[in-house]
Amino acid sequence: MRVVIQRVLNASVDINGKETRQIKEGLVVLLGIENADNEGDVEWLTGKIVNLRIFDDHEGVMNFSLKDMDGDILLISQFTLHASTKKGNRPSYIRASKPDKAIPLYKQFIEKLNQHLGKAVQTGEFGADMKVSLVNNGPVTIVIDTQQKE
């Protein structure tokens, strides 16, 4: 699993031009799932995300986690995080999992985030046309890949 985490003041996603989901201060998490991923990756990565100390304390030092801040998460599935651009100019997405594997892991990811936070996260919709808007705070943007956790 690969995530791009952005600390935000607020964010929203429009899904298929019909529905909008939004959060206030917290994190936008773009999630890409690949064939090598499993339930252990879900557990490790969700715990890492909610406990990352990337929010400012009263002295302006990044000492607080999302849990400390009681912040929100907007989770967006994004297979393009596994794009390979080694050959040619058209990216290949061969490492990205097909829906039959990715959707169950995506649903587990949502459930684990809900458990870790003690509240529901907002999500996009797997495979839908989505327009994401956000105000990046800092800016703070972090990339984590479970295949490189050691």
Side-chain angles (χ1 to χ4, degrees):
M1 293 183 165
R2 182 173 294 156
V3 292
V4 174
I5 301 165
Q6 296 179 300
R7 186 179 76 176
V8 299
L9 293 175
N10 59 67
S12 65
V13 60
D14 291 334
I15 303 167
N16 293 323
K18 299 176 185 172
E19 183 178 356
T20 301
R21 297 178 187 160
Q22 56 193 356
I23 64 168
K24 297 203 184 285
E25 187 174 20
L27 300 174
V28 169
V29 178
L30 307 175
L31 171 66
I33 300 170
E34 66 177 301
N35 292 326
D37 295 329
N38 59 49
E39 292 177 11
D41 294 316
V42 171
E43 183 66 40
W44 181 83
L45 189 52
T46 55
K48 179 67 86 173
I49 290 168
V50 299
N51 290 298
L52 275 176
R53 294 174 25 188
I54 58 174
F55 290 90
D56 294 346
D57 64 15
H58 304 295
E59 296 179 14
V61 178
M62 286 191 224
N63 274 327
F64 291 150
S65 70
L66 184 69
K67 285 175 73 171
D68 296 329
M69 298 295 297
D70 192 32
D72 297 321
I73 290 180
L74 176 60
L75 177 68
I76 306 293
S77 62
Q78 189 166 356
F79 74 94
T80 60
L81 291 178
H82 291 291
S84 174
T85 57
K86 289 183 180 180
K87 291 174 30 179
N89 292 318
R90 183 178 184 165
S92 168
Y93 304 105
I94 194 131
R95 285 185 53 202
S97 287
K98 301 287 186 239
D100 62 326
K101 174 166 177 128
I103 291 173
L105 286 174
Y106 177 68
K107 288 179 179 178
Q108 288 175 11
F109 204 89
I110 294 167
E111 285 303 311
K112 285 294 180 183
L113 284 175
N114 289 342
Q115 289 173 12
H116 286 301
L117 281 178
K119 63 180 177 179
V121 300
Q122 294 296 309
T123 66
E125 185 177 312
F126 193 93
D129 177 45
M130 296 179 280
K131 308 294 186 248
V132 179
S133 299
L134 59 93
V135 176
N136 195 320
N137 183 6
V140 174
T141 302
I142 296 173
V143 178
I144 302 173
D145 192 319
T146 59
Q147 302 306 314
Q148 300 173 356
K149 63 185 168 191
E150 295 182 18

